[in-house]
Amino acid sequence: MDPAFVLYRSDRRFALVGRSTGRGVLSAFTEKLSVAPVNASTLADLVPLSDVAICKCKMSFLLVYIVNLYIPPNIGFDDYQTFIDALGIFLLDKQCILVGDFNAPGFNMPDLDDRRTSSILLLMETLNLRQLNDITNLIGKLLDLVLTNLHVEFAVDHDLAPFVGEDPHHPALDILLSLDLPSDPLDFPSNTNLRYNFRKVDVPALCSELD
């Protein structure tokens, strides 16, 4: 990995879950971003078979919580629901991006009665999320979701040159987030005895500039 990236990871806790397979989740951020890890141990302890790494990232004028997760296909629905509910409570009133394998095979198949999909849809309604990924895997299923409540422009494409080998069940994604940076703030005087005299403003000229 390029040393210009900072890694945040959540490794599979093999001794706790009694399994010897699986790799956990990992997020890599360029050093140019202001990023800090968030303690997600409460979520991980609720459903140890799930993996989750959460970071908060300052993007221009936004503070965004970025959630990277994996929910295995073979956990019971009660555990699945518990994890989704806890995630919703944690992210309430936060601006967020969630990416990962939700393992809800019926998400893009409305005719399939899938309780996992119902849980995700309720989460989306609670947090005002929209789902951005429409790239299905080799059997037409959509397991990897990109959810956000940010009101900014996203583009999600199939990444043809991923960092690691591609699993045919999980197409690599290239997610582009576009932010409109605010203009430089006005440099108001720091001396409290100084004030701009708005009474002398040229109102017609100002209105003309705003038109």
Side-chain angles (χ1 to χ4, degrees), residues 67 84-96 98 120-130 147-151:
V67 180
I84 293 295
D85 287 348
L87 188 62
I89 293 171
F90 178 83
L91 293 173
L92 200 62
D93 299 324
K94 294 181 175 67
Q95 297 183 101
C96 56
L98 295 82
I120 297 171
L121 293 177
L122 182 57
L123 176 72
M124 293 174 63
E125 181 179 351
T126 301
L127 301 180
N128 195 28
L129 302 170
R130 53 197 173 107
L147 305 172
T148 186
N149 54 13
L150 296 181
H151 298 290

Side-chain angles (χ1 to χ4, degrees), residues 70 73 100-105 108 133 135-145 158 165-173:
Y70 167 74
D101 181 4
F102 283 76
N103 261 310
N108 64 325
N133 181 31
I135 300 171
T136 56
N137 63 16
L138 76 171
I139 56 175
K141 292 185 178 181
L142 188 65
L143 302 178
D144 301 304
L145 306 182
H158 186 190
E166 183 179 68
D167 182 338
H169 292 283
H170 302 279
L173 302 178

